[in-house]
Amino acid sequence: MRPKLVVGNWKMNGSREFTASLLSGILEGLDGNAAACAVCVPFPYLYQCEQLLAGSAIAWGAQDVSCQPSGAYTGEVCAAMLAEFGCRYVIVGHSERRAYHGESNELVARKAGAVLAAGLTPIVCVGETLAQREAGETAAVVGAQLDAVLELLGKDAVGRFVLSYEPVWAIGSGKTATPAMAQEVHAQLRAQLRACNAEGAEKVQILYGGSMKPENAGDLMAQPDIDGGLIGGAALKAADFLGIIRAAGPRI
Ligand code: 13P
């Protein structure tokens, strides 16, 4: 059995005060044998995470990264900088970056490569829009998004990144994919990983994201290929985030 992983994606929310109070709330409520968890916060709060979370059971990470290692790229942040602040995870290819910043499958793959090169773990996001689902294109869309990563990084990378299936229509909408709908896509992603690297594919944690809450998390994570969650809104309240971590069961 793969260990579960619950990751909070804070998106562009928070403040220094908010970060301190949310993290202390999570730390206080976290059981000693809780499933693995992490928070991906805005860049300015990474130092605060390092101060507050070092030595705790909560890992931390960023929500984006440059595909470049260093240089004249104004406004960008490279993976080595994130490593310096103790990040373990970096989200790449979130649908909000694909939609609002025009990130292509190829750019997302390069970003995942940059994260791996810095010794960190990319959380690669894939997912279809409502129009694509209604047009019967879900399998082709998420398949192409994952393919770009496999093509660039090769089979040795399989088992070194986390994958997250986030149907765009389920993000922030209150509409969650049913466990069966999500499992169908997760199984397809697993099959695609297996075709590239059969052994590595069994190790890949495939998270589900999109209106996951304490009330629906248990049923989603009970599916054989759903290995955790990438949580937006519910990660901004300690009680909800802790409820999802509890639904993931004990650490294995
Ligand atoms: P919500 O949980 O708010 O739907 O967001 C999901 C998400 O986009 C996590 O990356």
Side-chain angles (χ1 to χ4, degrees):
M1 217 163 91
R2 281 173 294 275
K4 297 272 194 277
L5 172 65
V6 176
V7 180
N9 173 10
W10 289 13
K11 307 194 178 184
M12 199 174 69
N13 292 295
S15 63
R16 279 158 66 134
E17 197 183 329
F18 176 88
T19 301
S21 96
L22 180 53
L23 292 180
S24 73
I26 300 168
L27 283 168
E28 269 166 36
L30 201 62
D31 298 335
N33 66 345
C37 64
V39 290
C40 289
V41 306
F43 293 131
Y45 306 123
L46 286 172
Y47 179 69
Q48 209 180 348
C49 282
E50 189 181 28
Q51 299 300 302
L52 295 172
L53 299 179
S56 81
I58 307 174
W60 61 97
Q63 302 168 14
D64 185 33
V65 69
S66 171
C67 66
Q68 302 291 346
S70 66
Y73 300 100
T74 301
E76 295 287 275
V77 171
C78 67
M81 294 171 181
L82 299 176
E84 260 200 309
F85 285 88
C87 289
R88 182 179 308 168
Y89 297 103
V90 183
I91 297 171
V92 297
H94 191 279
S95 64
E96 287 148 17
R97 298 227 42 104
R98 293 178 188 264
Y100 308 145
H101 301 271
E103 294 196 5
S104 65
N105 292 350
E106 291 66 33
L107 178 63
V108 172
R110 289 174 67 199
K111 289 186 173 195
V115 174
L116 283 177
L120 310 183
T121 302
I123 300 175
V124 179
C125 299
V126 300
E128 82 288 2
T129 63
L130 184 60
Q132 288 165 333
R133 174 161 281 267
E134 286 175 349
E137 294 168 3
T138 300
V141 169
V142 302
Q145 289 170 337
L146 177 55
D147 244 352
V149 173
L150 298 178
E151 255 173 46
L152 186 77
L153 304 184
K155 71 178 180 49
D156 289 348
V158 177
R160 295 172 59 215
F161 59 81
V162 172
L163 197 55
S164 186
Y165 169 55
E166 300 206 304
V168 178
W169 48 270
I171 295 175
S173 64
K175 288 186 207 146
T176 316
T178 63
M181 278 162 86
Q183 167 59 25
E184 186 184 359
V185 179
H186 282 231
Q188 178 206 320
L189 293 168
R190 180 93 54 208
Q192 197 176 343
L193 291 166
R194 258 189 216 118
C196 182
N197 176 340
E199 199 187 328
E202 302 311 316
K203 293 188 206 133
V204 178
Q205 291 165 308
I206 310 181
L207 314 183
Y208 167 81
S211 299
M212 197 188 256
K213 301 178 182 63
E215 304 80 60
N216 58 28
D219 286 346
L220 285 158
M221 290 191 274
Q223 299 295 312
D225 289 295
I226 302 185
D227 307 310
L230 186 55
I231 322 299
L236 300 174
K237 289 193 192 128
D240 287 353
F241 193 57
L242 287 164
I244 296 172
I245 294 168
R246 268 182 221 115
R251 184 179 286 251
I252 57 163

